[in-house]
Amino acid sequence: RMLSGYKPKSDVRDSYKILELEEGCSLDDVRNSYRNLARKYHPDSSSGMADSKAFIRVEEAYRVVLNDLAAKQKSDPGEEEEDQFKSKSLQHRHYLSFEGVGIGTPSQREKQYMQFRVDRATEQVLEYRQQRLESLYAGSDLSRAKDVTKSKKVKITQAVERLVEDLIQESMAKGDFDNLSGKGKPLQKFSDSPHIDPMTHNLNRILIDNGYQPEWILLQKEIRETIERLRKSIVASRRKLGEPMTLSEQKQWDRICEEFAEDIRKLNKRVDNFNLVVPIMSRQMVHFSTDKEILRARKTYEAVMEKVSDSDTKEIEGEEGKRFGWKSSLFKWLKL
């Protein structure tokens, strides 16, 4: 329909009626009428009469009328072309893009138009194949003979494949494949994927052998090392201040918490960059919370202090036992 330039006279009259024009009107009248109708029926317009089907009819009528006017100007050599260097169609992307296909936002219309083009190309390919098959197999004796020959070749190939498969299974049953060299080892010669071309496979192999790592893996490693370093640093800072904290030490701890919050904010930006490049959705990371990390540091500090106090208590008890152990042994000897 789009490639053909022939249009019946009835279609031309209907096109003029759709554009609300009469035959013999000027090119400016056609453009003004199309512009008004496009604003009226286009799906993206704010008009209450928006209709995609009506807009498609208006656009098709506009193309037919333009072709009719161009044909009349060519048939009348005495008439001068007014818009010789101007475009034959209205250059307004809002109404002429995507062949009038689709509704919604421009991005949504673009996706719908791409799907429309794929469907149209598929239909054309299928029609071409059907015509080719009909021309090849038009019912002649020669085509029938070719079909018989091809079917015989297919049958012979399938029979040979079945015979080879039977021989392989028989050899496996006898145990001929049990003592092969390299059993249980990967086949290095045929390790490439059939879905990747040899050049890409060789490049990937070179990168892997030389220790190459993707960007998202390096970012993930860097994020984990950074959060561990920040956690250790804030716990160490809390241990330096001691317990209980004085007023100056409390102010110092507040400054440390502010610096820690700024470091967490920068780390969350790295997390955003990581989520943009990671190829697996399940590997994406969530933001770190400053309050949760500070609470975690306090719990870690309390646990460390409990361990230290327990160890100090055990040492004191051991020293007292060593100090007074000789007296108890002397009293026991005197009693005996």
Side-chain angles (χ1 to χ4, degrees), residues 282-295:
S282 60
R283 293 294 185 90
Q284 289 191 345
M285 303 176 67
V286 297
H287 284 185
F288 296 97
S289 175
T290 305
D291 298 333
K292 291 182 179 180
E293 293 296 333
I294 292 175
L295 181 60

Side-chain angles (χ1 to χ4, degrees), residues 238-302:
R238 183 65 185 85
R239 290 186 64 181
K240 288 180 180 179
L241 295 176
E243 187 69 27
M245 291 187 295
T246 61
L247 183 60
S248 61
E249 290 176 347
Q250 183 64 39
K251 292 181 180 179
Q252 186 178 357
W253 171 248
D254 293 339
R255 288 195 298 271
I256 292 172
C257 291
E258 291 177 358
E259 294 176 358
F260 182 76
E262 181 65 21
D263 294 335
I264 291 294
R265 188 183 63 81
K266 294 179 181 179
L267 184 62
N268 287 332
K269 287 186 178 180
R270 296 185 187 177
V271 172
D272 293 335
N273 296 332
F274 170 78
N275 292 334
L276 290 175
V277 299
V278 64
I280 306 173
M281 294 294 294
S282 60
R283 293 294 185 90
Q284 289 191 345
M285 303 176 67
V286 297
H287 284 185
F288 296 97
S289 175
T290 305
D291 298 333
K292 291 182 179 180
E293 293 296 333
I294 292 175
L295 181 60
R296 179 176 180 175
R298 289 177 180 175
K299 291 181 178 180
T300 305
Y301 167 73
E302 292 175 358

Side-chain angles (χ1 to χ4, degrees), residues 97-149:
S97 59
F98 312 124
E99 301 181 13
V101 176
I103 58 175
T105 61
S107 61
Q108 293 174 349
R109 292 186 60 217
E110 182 179 4
K111 293 180 180 179
Q112 297 173 12
Y113 176 63
M114 294 299 294
Q115 184 63 37
F116 168 73
R117 291 184 60 187
V118 170
D119 296 338
R120 184 172 59 186
T122 305
E123 292 178 358
Q124 293 177 356
V125 170
L126 291 177
E127 291 178 0
Y128 170 75
R129 289 181 177 177
Q130 183 179 358
Q131 294 176 0
R132 186 177 179 184
L133 290 175
E134 289 176 356
S135 62
L136 289 176
Y137 307 103
S140 61
D141 296 335
L142 181 61
S143 63
R144 292 177 183 175
K146 290 181 179 179
D147 291 340
V148 172
T149 305

Side-chain angles (χ1 to χ4, degrees), residues 202-213:
N202 293 333
L203 290 175
N204 292 337
R205 175 57 58 188
I206 292 171
L207 292 174
I208 292 172
D209 293 341
N210 288 275
Y212 170 77
Q213 292 181 349

Side-chain angles (χ1 to χ4, degrees), residues 103-229:
I103 58 175
T105 61
S107 61
Q108 293 174 349
R109 292 186 60 217
E110 182 179 4
K111 293 180 180 179
Q112 297 173 12
Y113 176 63
M114 294 299 294
Q115 184 63 37
F116 168 73
R117 291 184 60 187
V118 170
D119 296 338
R120 184 172 59 186
T122 305
E123 292 178 358
Q124 293 177 356
V125 170
L126 291 177
E127 291 178 0
Y128 170 75
R129 289 181 177 177
Q130 183 179 358
Q131 294 176 0
R132 186 177 179 184
L133 290 175
E134 289 176 356
S135 62
L136 289 176
Y137 307 103
S140 61
D141 296 335
L142 181 61
S143 63
R144 292 177 183 175
K146 290 181 179 179
D147 291 340
V148 172
T149 305
K150 289 183 179 180
S151 63
K152 286 183 178 179
K153 288 182 179 179
V154 171
K155 290 180 180 179
I156 292 171
T157 304
Q158 292 177 353
V160 172
E161 290 178 355
R162 286 197 298 270
L163 177 61
V164 173
E165 186 66 26
D166 293 339
L167 292 174
I168 292 173
Q169 295 296 332
E170 184 178 356
S171 300
M172 290 175 65
K174 291 180 180 179
D176 295 339
F177 296 104
D178 293 341
N179 298 322
L180 294 176
S181 59
K183 180 182 178 182
K185 297 180 181 180
L187 298 176
Q188 297 293 338
K189 189 175 182 180
F190 305 99
S191 61
D192 54 332
S193 174
H195 306 289
I196 303 177
D197 59 293
M199 180 63 69
T200 304
H201 171 73
N202 293 333
L203 290 175
N204 292 337
R205 175 57 58 188
I206 292 171
L207 292 174
I208 292 172
D209 293 341
N210 288 275
Y212 170 77
Q213 292 181 349
E215 181 182 2
W216 66 275
I217 292 180
L218 297 176
L219 278 174
Q220 186 180 29
K221 183 178 179 182
E222 182 182 356
I223 290 170
R224 290 177 177 174
E225 292 178 351
T226 303
I227 190 62
E228 290 297 328
R229 178 174 54 80

